[in-house]
Amino acid sequence: MAQRRSALLDAALTVFEAEGLGGLSARRVCDEAGLTRRYFYESFEDIDTLTAALLERTTDEVRAAVQRASATPDLPRPEATRLAVSHGLDVLLATPAKGRFLAAVHAAGGPVAQRRTKAVEELATLVEELLAPRTPAPRQHDDTPPLPARQARAAAVAAVGAVLGLVDSWLSEELEATRDELVTWTSTTALAIFTGMAAAPDHTAGA
């Protein structure tokens, strides 16, 4: 069953690449996979849940690549951030349809929107671990102090939103930039958000 499910997801990406989101249907995906619709409904309730599952698989691949890159020891935060962004972007560029798919589902609703929200939360947790250690760490190599938990989470959510916005605009060809420029801009933006949050006044002090 897992093999058929994977085949259906692969077929969905192929159909999307040829016909866009509007071309996705149980019939078209099954035709592409060489499977009957019985097997489709064994794995998915409808085309929306399949689309959400394809989004989940793609974002999991990106998150895993970012996590592997962020595990590199003793890198200063700017280099660690750039490496993480670069590895995540490489997942999308290795199969361009994946990048176009992520950009296309940006405004989708239903199960797809729920999965996208969860993916953002998971990425924010990863970014928080990378850029906002609770205590001074060798990798910081700068004067940015450790952030309290609430500020660290706020900075992580803001950084992920900003980075995804830039990547979505680039993938949909609204933003003109080379790959290296995009990596530089996104990593710099993420770092700037954390630096700015560290400099923000603590309104809970003395409360």
Side-chain angles (χ1 to χ4, degrees), residues 54-175:
L54 181 57
L55 175 60
E56 179 178 18
R57 187 175 74 170
T58 305
T59 54
D60 282 352
E61 291 174 3
V62 172
R63 183 163 51 86
V66 171
Q67 197 160 22
R68 286 193 300 271
S70 64
T72 304
D74 300 326
L75 278 182
R77 287 199 308 167
E79 285 82 354
T81 305
R82 182 179 177 85
L83 186 65
V85 170
S86 181
H87 277 58
L89 194 59
D90 283 345
V91 171
L92 305 181
L93 296 182
T95 306
K98 292 180 181 179
R100 290 192 289 270
F101 173 74
L102 286 187
V105 299
H106 179 78
V112 180
Q114 293 170 12
R115 178 56 234 180
R116 185 178 173 89
T117 298
K118 185 178 179 182
V120 169
E121 292 173 353
E122 292 167 346
L123 282 171
T125 297
L126 186 56
V127 168
E128 186 177 352
E129 293 171 354
L130 175 64
L131 294 182
R134 293 286 182 264
T135 58
R139 104 167 343 173
Q140 283 183 271
H141 294 286
D142 58 30
D143 296 326
T144 303
L147 286 173
R150 292 189 313 130
Q151 288 172 268
R153 188 63 184 179
V157 171
V160 168
V163 168
L164 290 179
L166 286 168
V167 172
D168 279 345
S169 294
W170 186 70
L171 290 171
S172 59
E173 300 182 347
E174 296 174 8
L175 179 65

